[in-house]
Amino acid sequence: IWVAGREIAISRDGSRVAISHDGGGAFAWDAASAMWTRTIGDSFVGIDVQADPHTPGRFLVGSFDGLRESRDGGRTWSILYSAKPVKR
């Protein structure tokens, strides 16, 4: 499973994020339900996920499309960098 990079990361606050190299998507761990919840759709294929060692709940996910960031334990994501060409 370690084809490209790390598939799971755990933050200092215990929040967890996983990505799938095979099926696509990103997932956040919901401790209350003890289940993984998909937070980025199937078309997203992450290469690596990292937890910020200084900011609890902050994660970065790299993909061929760019870089995404979550500041809420992986529940929502924003695009920090897009590798897609800009149409003019």
Side-chain angles (χ1 to χ4, degrees):
I1 64 172
W2 304 105
V3 175
R6 187 176 316 232
E7 288 185 303
I8 189 165
I10 302 172
S11 180
R12 287 185 350 192
D13 65 359
S15 55
R16 301 173 186 148
V17 167
I19 58 173
S20 172
H21 294 308
D22 297 325
F27 305 83
W29 177 253
D30 180 4
S33 66
M35 295 179 66
W36 290 97
T37 302
R38 183 182 300 270
T39 58
I40 302 178
D42 293 346
S43 62
F44 175 82
V45 179
I47 298 171
D48 192 32
V49 59
Q50 296 289 324
D52 183 332
H54 305 290
T55 307
R58 181 174 183 243
F59 292 89
L60 296 169
V61 174
S63 72
F64 292 114
D65 293 335
L67 182 66
R68 296 185 188 209
E69 172 192 48
S70 174
R71 291 186 168 266
D72 60 5
R75 290 185 295 279
T76 61
W77 295 88
S78 60
I79 297 172
L80 290 182
Y81 169 76
S82 178
K84 294 180 180 179
V86 176
K87 294 181 182 179
R88 295 182 190 247

